[in-house]
Amino acid sequence: MATELQDFLEVIQQVDTFERFQEATVGLRDLLNITHVVYHWVNSVGERFGAGTYSSEWVDRYLEKDYLRMDPVLFGCFQRFTPVNWKQLDWSSKAAKAFFRDALDHGVGNQGYTIPLRGPNGQFALLTLSHNATDDQWERFITRYERDLMIVAHEFNKKALSFDAPGDVQSGPTLSPRETAAITLIAKGFSRGQAAAEMRISEHTLRVYIESARHKLGAMNTTHAVARALSLGLIII
Amino acid sequence: MATELQDFLEVIQQVDTFERFQEATVGLRDLLNITHVVYHWVNSVGERFGAGTYSSEWVDRYLEKDYLRMDPVLFGCFQRFTPVNWKQLDWSSKAAKAFFRDALDHGVGNQGYTIPLRGPNGQFALLTLSHNATDDQWERFITRYERDLMIVAHEFNKKALSFDAPGDVQSGPTLSPRETAAITLIAKGFSRGQAAAEMRISEHTLRVYIESARHKLGAMNTTHAVARALSLGLIII
DNA sequence: ACTTACCTCACCATTTATGGGGAGGGTGAA
DNA sequence: TTCACCCTCCCCATAAATGGTGAGGTAAGT
């Protein structure tokens, strides 16, 4: 690992407030000598949090124009496992082209590289680097730093996570074996009657499990309970 | 990065069949001079695939006993973002203790380290290392290799992904914006009437979206559709 | 011994979801 | 332009889920 980035990991580990995230992104930008570094994070309750070097005008415009719903970077990363060079994305739609032009006008670089990382409970994070460079230059930059940046992204996430769920992991509700089995069957598309038959219990009993699980999960209805159980990783389908 | 692992990345990149995964795990085990290396992967359609150095007896027993549903490692990793040292997990339950003893009896080491990684469409992968060592020795081992192993895990996943969706990323079903919005609201526990009010459309229209999404997702009912949409990463609640 | 949680079963009335139709207007791509 | 897909609205009858309340037995932990 490049020694300058080695040191930078220490900087991340000392982040203790949201504001420090901002400083850390600035630090990384200056270290790599590029135009922008942005860290974007969606926590387990769907709250978005961003820290980075984009101008506040661009951030406001991005939110105002609801670019979240058309940004090919965000969209591409939602469907991907691996980091992505922006050039590889699909910019063919009219909306995407307009968005890219708008971004350029607001100081975002013409090149970009984004690392997506996912956690349990729908946690989703992006570390984005942007710069003005030729395709070749950018390719070389990525080749040089991609592995280091992966580590940096993970360190950022570790910090973000520590803010999200301070303390224990095992805090959420737990389901009994029969409740888990019942909810899992329902999540697989079984009706109550089918699920009861599968579990060889009366439909009445199955209802008790579902209701019990629903209460534990604080869910409004069965569908909500299934969604929460899935999000919390309590069941696997 | 340790040079021996540097070279190993090349080995991973040359994996071209499922069998080669097996060889790669053996290679990594010998390189690190530990007892076991296992790579476990759940693809976008829920199929499980494992490659590693565990004895076939243990693998068979694991499946036969349905340890998948009680393994604290698997369970812990589902709820976690970051790699986990097995010692940190909750082994207090009777089932977990019995499982651990059974694992020891089948040659699994007393120490372990597992890196969870998630992708879109519910893809979930684990890279597990296991060894017989004291807590201190294992701690030192992890401290030395954790960053390198993260890179290795990502390389494994890159390969696994290339087998999963050869070619296009856009393989699964997609939902229209309104369908996504409707399914998301239902997943959040809204009734059809509430969701329709929230979207400012008639309940009839909302039903059309739900039904349409249900058909696209090949789901038996609304709850199943929500579960599938969540698993596929099409919605976030 | 006592409490807590789990598993199993039952009835009531009401609300909600589902499956099957049909129809018109919009937008974007081939 | 035509085709496909999306958005919006409507009716009907039936099937399924929900909310509330109750009750008896087992198993584990304090």
Side-chain angles (χ1 to χ4, degrees), chain B residues 191-192 207 211 214 220-222:
Chain B
S191 73
R192 295 210 289 210
R207 277 189 55 190
E211 285 294 291
R214 197 165 65 77
M220 302 294 293
N221 51 47
T222 303

Side-chain angles (χ1 to χ4, degrees), chain A residues 36-233:
Chain A
H36 287 297
V37 169
V38 176
Y39 179 70
H40 177 241
W41 172 49
V42 183
N43 77 2
S44 53
V45 283
E47 294 164 347
R48 291 191 153 77
F49 157 66
T53 62
Y54 284 160
S55 68
S56 57
E57 287 78 22
W58 174 235
V59 173
D60 291 345
R61 188 175 177 81
Y62 190 98
L63 295 172
E64 181 208 320
K65 289 260 187 178
D66 207 19
Y67 279 149
L68 269 175
R69 307 213 167 270
M70 70 174 81
D71 182 346
V73 174
L74 210 60
F75 208 72
C77 284
F78 255 111
Q79 308 190 318
R80 242 167 256 262
F81 220 106
T82 48
V84 59
N85 184 347
W86 291 1
K87 272 287 184 293
Q88 297 161 7
L89 294 167
D90 175 24
W91 296 93
S92 61
S93 83
K94 213 163 57 176
K97 279 176 186 143
F99 165 70
F100 189 65
R101 195 156 318 120
D102 203 13
L104 279 180
D105 291 345
H106 286 82
V108 178
N110 67 329
Q111 302 285 351
Y113 183 69
T114 298
I115 301 172
L117 283 179
R118 268 164 247 272
N121 309 341
Q123 286 155 345
F124 180 62
L126 296 174
L127 179 63
T128 292
L129 312 187
S130 174
H131 195 44
N132 283 298
T134 65
D135 289 3
D136 272 2
Q137 288 170 332
W138 191 240
E139 201 66 61
R140 279 197 300 276
F141 175 84
I142 292 173
T143 305
R144 173 167 176 202
Y145 286 113
E146 57 182 349
R147 286 172 188 164
D148 296 349
L149 289 171
M150 183 71 74
I151 302 296
V152 170
H154 273 278
E155 288 295 328
F156 266 117
N157 281 345
K158 211 187 286 182
K159 266 299 158 194
L161 189 70
S162 72
F163 289 143
D164 189 17
D168 52 334
V169 184
Q170 200 67 284
S171 56
T174 57
L175 300 181
S176 78
R178 297 300 264 175
E179 286 162 356
T180 305
I183 287 281
T184 303
L185 288 172
I186 296 298
K188 284 180 174 171
F190 288 61
S191 72
R192 282 191 192 167
Q194 291 172 323
E198 184 75 18
M199 288 174 70
R200 295 161 193 282
I201 54 176
S202 76
E203 189 176 333
H204 306 285
T205 304
L206 186 113
R207 277 188 56 191
V208 175
Y209 297 144
I210 302 292
E211 286 294 293
S212 168
R214 197 162 66 77
H215 283 117
K216 284 185 182 177
L217 294 164
M220 302 295 292
N221 51 47
T222 303
T223 301
H224 192 198
V226 166
R228 286 192 56 79
L230 272 172
S231 294
L232 294 171

Side-chain angles (χ1 to χ4, degrees), chain B residues 66 88 107 143 184 212:
Chain B
D66 207 20
Q88 297 161 6
T143 305
T184 303
S212 168

